[in-house]
Amino acid sequence: MVFGELIVAYLFLGGTGAGACAVAAVLGLLADGADVRQGLAARFRDGGNGRPGAYRRLFVSLWATALVALVLGVVCLSADVGRIDRVLVLAVSAPTNYLVVGFWALAACAALGIATLLVWQGAMPGSYRLLMALNGASLVAACVAAVYTGLLLAGLASVPLWFGPWLPAVFLLSALSCGTALTAAVMVLTGADAPFGRVLQALGAVDMGLIGLEAIALAGWLGCTWLGAGGTLAQAAPATPTDAAALASVAALVEGSWAPMFWGVLGAVGLAVPFGLEGALLAQGRRRGSPRRTASAVVLVSAACVLVGGAALRWLVVMAAVQPMVSSAAYVL
């Protein structure tokens, strides 16, 4: 099989890492300018007390976690390819396809992330303007890295489940949601949620929006694939083998062999549960607040569900498209 477990792991880790980089960059751009300038002047060293130290703990942990996810994704890709030189050859290739552009986006995201981390760590001097420029460039590179795999797969006309404009949107929204969830989990686990409680609350609201948009994009992707291949509610013979493959893939997801994972893991665990948990936590916080320990546990459970759903999504996208599905009984929902 051309697309196996390592590729699925690469898609998940690379997308999550890129999404986390994007979230960290946005938080850096939105950070209080006066506090950041004060931290830059002191190289973010204040003995761990005060705002400079809080910013240092927050952003160093966020960028380090995002970079680890990116690196693990590249390791999975290299392991699947079998030879590291086959990956490195992309570095000297002309940017004529999504694979080369994606490689450079990942490389740029990693390089910019390391530079940004060093500034927040205080290991590298930098001005406020430089730090904001690094955050802005990191945001662009991270978004490209998050969406390019969807563009790459969507350009493969030979795989009808992937072909079209919807899959890149699904991958981008999922990557941003996974990155937001990972960011929230890191904040809780490192204690950064104490000085940045409002940031954590805002992340929950943002993730709810991303989850809602992802559900819409998933419905649009499968619906358009089904209708584009001539699918109807009544049984009918597909016009071409390509249409047959498209209908079989969609049917396998919504009612066939992959339906339990699609509805149970992706739909329920990955989308519905975190949406409900984050909504409940947001509503409780607005009314009267909630104990920090309880809120932290809810954030961690919600983040875990989002990440499980993100991994399930990529597994389903790959497996439902590449497995042989030629039985006429699978053509109709």
Side-chain angles (χ1 to χ4, degrees):
M1 184 183 294
V2 177
F3 293 89
E5 292 82 357
L6 287 172
I7 288 298
V8 174
Y10 159 67
L11 294 174
F12 170 65
L13 291 169
T16 300
C21 286
V23 175
V26 170
L27 293 180
L29 290 170
L30 297 178
D32 184 86
D35 288 337
V36 174
R37 287 186 174 91
Q38 178 186 354
L40 286 167
R43 294 283 190 93
F44 293 101
R45 292 187 173 91
D46 60 2
N49 300 313
R51 299 298 286 182
Y55 275 113
R56 180 184 181 183
R57 290 192 301 276
L58 172 65
F59 284 105
V60 168
S61 60
L62 295 186
W63 280 106
T65 304
L67 290 169
V68 167
L70 280 178
V71 170
L72 289 177
V74 173
V75 169
C76 290
L77 176 62
S78 302
D80 182 79
V81 171
R83 288 170 49 186
I84 189 64
D85 59 306
R86 293 178 181 173
V87 177
L88 295 178
V89 74
L90 297 174
V92 295
S93 302
T96 55
N97 59 60
Y98 290 128
L99 188 60
V100 178
V101 172
F103 173 85
W104 278 107
L106 286 171
C109 190
L112 291 166
I114 291 172
T116 308
L117 184 151
L118 291 175
V119 174
W120 286 114
Q121 177 71 25
M124 186 175 77
S127 64
Y128 180 77
R129 182 174 298 180
L130 172 63
L131 183 56
M132 294 303 103
L134 286 172
N135 281 316
S138 297
L139 176 60
V140 174
C143 288
V144 174
V147 77
Y148 99 89
T149 49
L151 292 171
L152 175 65
L153 297 181
L156 299 177
S158 60
V159 186
L161 184 65
W162 297 343
F163 187 65
W166 284 96
L167 193 58
V170 171
F171 269 48
L172 177 60
L173 291 168
S174 176
L176 293 175
S177 179
C178 288
T180 302
L182 184 61
T183 298
V186 170
M187 289 182 65
V188 170
L189 292 174
T190 60
D193 58 321
F196 296 103
R198 290 186 177 180
V199 173
L200 186 63
Q201 188 178 51
L203 287 176
V206 168
D207 197 38
M208 288 182 66
L210 290 171
I211 289 172
L213 291 174
E214 184 182 347
I216 293 172
L218 279 168
W221 168 50
L222 294 179
C224 289
T225 301
W226 176 258
L227 295 175
T232 63
L233 295 179
Q235 185 170 357
T240 67
T242 299
D243 290 340
L247 296 176
S249 293
V250 175
L253 285 174
V254 300
E255 69 166 14
S257 57
W258 295 112
M261 179 177 285
F262 179 80
W263 296 110
V265 181
L266 174 57
V269 176
L271 298 176
V273 171
F275 187 89
L277 289 176
E278 290 167 353
L281 192 60
L282 187 63
Q284 186 175 9
R286 286 175 174 173
R287 286 198 304 268
R288 62 181 184 277
S290 58
R292 182 185 171 193
R293 182 176 299 178
T294 301
S296 298
V298 172
V299 169
L300 291 177
V301 171
S302 175
C305 289
V306 170
L307 294 174
V308 168
L313 168 66
R314 286 150 182 84
W315 179 270
L316 291 168
V317 166
V318 170
M319 296 304 169
V322 302
Q323 69 175 350
M325 291 177 293
V326 294
S327 172
S328 60
Y331 292 163
V332 180
L333 286 172

